[in-house]
Amino acid sequence: PLALGAGVSENGFVLKYAMPDMSTATGQEKPDEDPISVLTLSGRDFQEIEAVYNRSQEKFLDLGHLEVLILDEQILEEGSREALIGYLKQEEHIGEDVYVFRTDMLGDVFHWKGARESSIGEYLQGIQENRTSGQQKKGVTLREVYHQFCQDGTLPWLPEIWVEGDLLEVDYGSNE
């Protein structure tokens, strides 16, 4: 996955994996195929979710290509955020340069169809990196999240994303 979404479900947690569209990336797309591939799994904890993934998916879960982490507002609350940080830290393949966002529209964001040629992970990374230096936005990386969490148990202010019609909007707040 290029993007990982994390949220809270009725009986634990939910993870959304936005898989890259390999047929588009290799130029072999078929006109009737949905280019968005999102896998949603839930469980009591993150280890249970990974176990379900390993039992049900043919491909190895490689989080080394992750570009974007999108957190539902509920997982930012005390208790849930500790479990999430613990899970992320034990995943040795997740790099610390992953951009972190928050949303209260996790499902809508992951199924947004506005970016014709890219997944949500590629699109959000592009917003961060494909601008001239004067236009570049200050994103928050996983490294900054870990640093502040280790200092005082809180998270830094995270840019918010939401879907408005056909648009995916990003608010960088005071970080702009």
Side-chain angles (χ1 to χ4, degrees), residues 6-68:
V8 176
S9 67
E10 303 81 42
N11 47 350
F13 297 99
V14 62
L15 290 179
K16 290 185 174 289
Y17 303 94
M19 304 301 189
D21 179 20
M22 297 312 291
S23 62
T24 299
T26 59
Q28 300 172 13
E29 70 269 11
K30 296 177 181 77
D32 296 335
E33 278 187 3
D34 185 355
I36 298 170
S37 175
V38 177
L39 176 64
T40 302
L41 298 174
S42 59
R44 288 186 310 275
D45 55 37
F46 297 109
Q47 290 68 30
E48 182 179 318
I49 293 171
E50 271 198 15
V52 170
Y53 181 96
N54 290 330
R55 286 193 311 262
S56 65
Q57 301 299 307
E58 63 188 54
K59 294 188 171 53
F60 170 73
L61 180 59
D62 181 0
L63 296 175
H65 299 284
L66 205 60
E67 304 288 349
V68 174

Side-chain angles (χ1 to χ4, degrees), residues 4 15-16 23 26-27 35 90 108 110-111 118 128 148 164:
L4 176 65
L15 290 179
K16 290 185 174 289
S23 62
T26 59
Q90 60 93 29
D108 292 341
F110 270 80
H111 290 283
S118 61
Q128 290 295 139
Q148 185 163 327
E164 185 74 43

Side-chain angles (χ1 to χ4, degrees), residues 17 40 49 66 77 88-89 103 105 111 121 135 141 163 168:
Y17 303 94
T40 302
I49 293 171
L66 205 60
E77 295 172 9
L88 294 172
K89 283 190 150 204
T103 187
M105 304 175 77
H111 290 283
Q135 296 177 320
T141 64
V163 176
L168 182 79

Side-chain angles (χ1 to χ4, degrees), residues 56-86:
S56 65
Q57 301 299 307
E58 63 188 54
K59 294 188 171 53
F60 170 73
L61 180 59
D62 181 0
L63 296 175
H65 299 284
L66 205 60
E67 304 288 349
V68 174
L69 176 63
I70 303 170
L71 307 178
D72 187 273
E73 295 285 349
Q74 293 170 311
I75 206 159
L76 299 175
E77 295 172 9
E78 207 165 333
S80 297
R81 70 175 174 239
E82 286 80 1
L84 176 69
I85 297 292

